[in-house]
Structure formats: C-alpha cells, structure tokens
Amino acid sequence: MAKTKELSKDTRKRIVDLHQTGKSESTMGKQLGVKKSTVGAIIRKWKTYKTTDNLPRSGAPRKISSCGVKMIMRTVSKNPRTTRWDLVNDLQRAGTTEIKVTISNTLQRQGIKSCSARRVPLLKPVHVQAHLKFAREHMDDTAEDWENVMWSDETKVELFGINSTRRIWRKKNTELHPKNIIPTVKHGGGNIMLWGCFYAKGTGRLIRVKDRMNGAMYREILSQNLLPSVRALKMKRGWVFQQDNDPKHTARATKEWLRKKHLNVLEWPSQSPDLNLIENMWRELKVCAARRQPQNITALEKICMEECAKIPATECANLVKTYSNCLTFVIANKGYVTKY
C-alpha cells in the first residue's frame, strides 16, 4: 500500500475546530476531502493528548545492546584511535555481529564523531609543567599588563598551503570540473618565511626572511624592524618583548644584544605556540592570502604584506584582551595544548 501524505497542521486544526462546533466526522471528511477514519484519528488524538502534533515514536529497537554500547564507549575512551573495524571485531568476539554503519550511528548518539587528529607540538612532561607554571604565574596579570607586550615570531607561508584542505560543494561526477579542483605543483609550489610582530594597538613591521636565518641575521632583524616598530606604535616605557625559545633567540650573543638594548624579555616556556598570540594573526594572514590565490612567490609576498597592513587595531586589542582566557584553558587542560 502506498504511503499516504501527512495532513498539514492547518488541516488538523480545522478538523478540531469543526469538531468543537458539533460537525460529524462524515461531514468534516466530505468538507475537507479527508477520509472519515483519518478525521476520527485526529479527533481521538486531540481528546487524549490535547494536541494534533506528531508524537515521539519509538522506532525500531536498537541493534546494539546497552552492554555493547558500554563496551564501545569504553574502548574509544581508552584509545580514541580505535578504528570501526577494530570495534566490529571486538563485538564479534563478544558474540554480537554488527556493521560499521551501526557502530558509527551508536557513537554519534553518544556525542562522538570521527574527526581528524590535530597535529600539535610534542610535549614532554617537562614542557607540560613549564606550561602550567607559566599560566599560574601570569594568571593574575591584568589586561593592561598584556597590552604592554610586543609579540613576535617567524612563520612559513606555503604558496598553495591553505588551499590544499579547502572543501567545496559540487554535484556527483563533477569532481574534475575546473571550478572544483585545486591545482598542485611539486613540493607545494614553494614558500616564504616571514618575521613579524604586533601588540595591542596594531601590527608592527612584517618582513620576508630570504636566507637561512642565523643568530646574526635575527639580531639584525630586531635592530631594523623591532625597534622601529616600537617607536612607530608609540609603546610605553617598560614594554616587554616576547619571543620563543628558538636557538637563534636564546643564543648568548642575542641575549647580550637584548641586554645592551635594555629590553625586558618575557620568560617563555618551550614548545608553546598555542600561548603565542601572534599565531592567531598568522592564521588569519594565511587564510586571507590563500583566498586571493597567488600564483607565484612574488605575488604571495606582496599579498601577505597587503593583508598584514589590513589587520585592524581592534582585532589586535581583542586578542590581547582575552589572553587571560588562554591561561585559564591551559590550567584547565593541566598544561597540555589548548585550542585557544
């Protein structure tokens, strides 16, 4: 028997209204073009539940028992890298035969979905403890304290880096249409290395590092770009310089140069890019550059410079203003990497 079309809410409401005026089921059925049995079912539902809306339905019974669900949850909680085939084999050994789709649906009902594992820096126990120590020591620092910090770092920008993971909407069998493909070249098409800095009231200079950076080149970059950026942004006296623990940054000659320039350097834990606010700026810069689809290294450099200049001071201020949240996440995550 063909499935009948469900009555609209307006039709069901009219049936109830006509019933309340004293109309018979036959009269209502003829007037609305609805079967008498359907009219009767709507009226009985209204009398019983005081509504004509669809009620929750039980549906088919679950194929996996509650014990099976607990076993699946226990397995994926212990080892999130467990595959669906591993779970199928575990259930078979327990006497239950299920398919991968059933297991996927079961996990989704428990609020678990398959995702790509994030790639993050390897944290040894000493790094975790350093993360925690930094967060706890600076947890009580005010927003004004962080507004006096100049954040800095280097980053590599791939010519086709962000584009390689872009998703598209397309119809079936149109995967090779020119609009639906992303051109690739060997070795990513090349990349550029950038050094930049920013603080709460705006971005500093952004430069391209064309040669392999060493300690001497890094000190030259600081001299020719960091200090002019501080003057251009009119930072207050006593400002603090943030840099990571790259060997070039912590070399004896670099430390001596910083001391002679009377720069206050923020003590920084190793392996902690998630704590560096400039990483948020780098991400925004790379997304904007990829959106403009540069076709060569020269165009990529030009676009990066233009996009960096467009970053509003309000965005820098908002990043700095919420930095205490980042420290809170670090403490809540017991020193491990955060998504801040």
Side-chain angles (χ1 to χ4, degrees):
M1 180 182 294
K3 186 176 180 180
T4 58
K5 187 176 180 180
E6 187 179 78
L7 294 181
S8 66
K9 289 185 177 181
D10 290 338
T11 302
R12 283 177 274 178
K13 185 176 183 301
R14 290 186 63 189
I15 290 174
V16 173
D17 292 341
L18 292 172
H19 170 72
Q20 291 177 329
T21 62
K23 299 282 186 180
S24 67
E25 294 180 2
S26 299
T27 303
M28 287 187 285
K30 292 177 182 178
Q31 182 175 339
L32 300 175
V34 180
K35 291 182 179 180
K36 178 183 176 181
S37 59
T38 303
V39 173
I42 294 294
I43 293 173
R44 287 193 297 274
K45 177 187 282 188
W46 180 78
K47 287 181 177 180
T48 304
Y49 302 104
K50 298 302 180 182
T51 182
T52 60
D53 293 339
N54 291 330
L55 301 174
R57 298 163 185 168
S58 60
R62 304 293 187 198
K63 290 186 177 181
I64 299 181
S65 66
S66 58
C67 292
V69 172
K70 290 180 180 178
M71 187 176 76
I72 291 174
M73 292 300 298
R74 186 165 55 248
T75 302
V76 297
S77 297
K78 186 177 181 179
N79 182 13
R81 298 182 184 182
T82 303
T83 66
R84 288 183 296 178
W85 276 120
D86 293 335
L87 294 173
V88 168
N89 294 332
D90 289 344
L91 289 172
Q92 286 179 345
R93 285 192 290 270
T96 303
T97 303
E98 298 299 343
I99 61 176
K100 294 194 295 182
V101 174
T102 304
I103 291 175
S104 296
N105 293 338
T106 300
L107 288 170
Q108 288 177 4
R109 283 194 296 271
Q110 301 299 319
I112 296 178
K113 62 180 181 179
S114 176
C115 303
S116 298
R118 296 280 186 91
R119 294 183 178 273
V120 299
L122 174 64
L123 293 184
K124 298 178 180 179
V126 63
H127 299 141
V128 175
Q129 292 303 316
H131 264 71
L132 264 179
K133 180 182 177 183
F134 178 86
R136 287 169 176 165
E137 287 181 350
H138 294 280
M139 192 62 214
D140 295 329
D141 290 357
T142 65
E144 289 74 17
D145 293 329
W146 295 115
E147 287 175 0
N148 213 30
V149 175
M150 176 67 87
W151 305 85
S152 72
D153 200 9
E154 302 88 21
T155 190
K156 182 172 68 173
V157 184
E158 299 280 354
L159 184 57
F160 299 113
I162 296 294
N163 283 332
S164 62
T165 57
R166 181 167 294 176
R167 290 181 175 271
I168 61 169
W169 297 100
R170 65 172 178 83
K171 293 183 179 180
K172 187 177 181 180
N173 299 325
T174 62
E175 62 271 17
L176 296 180
H177 190 280
K179 290 184 177 180
N180 298 335
I181 63 174
I182 296 175
T184 62
V185 294
K186 289 184 178 180
H187 313 299
N191 59 73
I192 60 175
M193 180 67 72
L194 301 175
W195 178 93
C197 60
F198 89 101
Y199 98 117
K201 295 185 179 179
T203 57
R205 292 188 180 183
L206 179 71
I207 65 160
R208 178 184 173 186
V209 182
K210 294 186 178 181
D211 300 317
R212 185 181 180 87
M213 185 187 291
N214 54 28
M217 181 184 295
Y218 179 66
R219 293 189 292 276
E220 183 179 353
I221 288 174
L222 296 183
S223 177
Q224 296 182 2
N225 299 278
L226 172 64
L227 299 181
S229 295
V230 171
R231 290 191 290 268
L233 293 170
K234 299 180 180 179
M235 293 188 70
K236 296 179 181 179
R237 187 184 295 252
W239 61 277
V240 178
F241 177 51
Q242 181 278 331
Q243 61 175 2
D244 61 25
N245 292 330
D246 187 284
K248 298 181 291 293
H249 304 171
T250 58
R252 182 180 301 175
T254 302
K255 289 182 177 180
E256 182 63 19
W257 184 91
L258 293 169
R259 187 188 64 79
K260 287 182 178 180
K261 295 297 181 180
H262 305 289
L263 299 187
N264 298 320
V265 180
L266 181 64
E267 187 175 350
W268 196 250
S270 300
Q271 296 289 83
S272 55
D274 56 314
L275 293 178
N276 194 346
L277 288 181
I278 203 170
E279 294 296 335
N280 296 273
M281 191 181 81
W282 290 145
R283 174 64 183 174
E284 181 70 18
L285 179 68
K286 292 174 183 179
V287 170
C288 292
R291 193 176 294 133
R292 294 177 59 177
Q293 300 181 347
Q295 298 302 307
N296 54 61
I297 293 297
T298 303
L300 176 62
E301 180 182 355
K302 180 181 177 182
I303 288 173
C304 286
M305 300 300 171
E306 293 173 353
E307 293 299 331
C308 181
K310 292 179 184 177
I311 297 176
T314 54
E315 185 172 327
C316 299
N318 289 336
L319 280 175
V320 174
K321 188 184 300 182
T322 59
Y323 190 60
S324 60
N325 296 340
C326 176
L327 302 180
T328 302
F329 293 150
V330 171
I331 295 173
N333 210 28
K334 299 180 180 179
Y336 286 93
V337 175
T338 70
K339 65 177 181 178
Y340 184 77

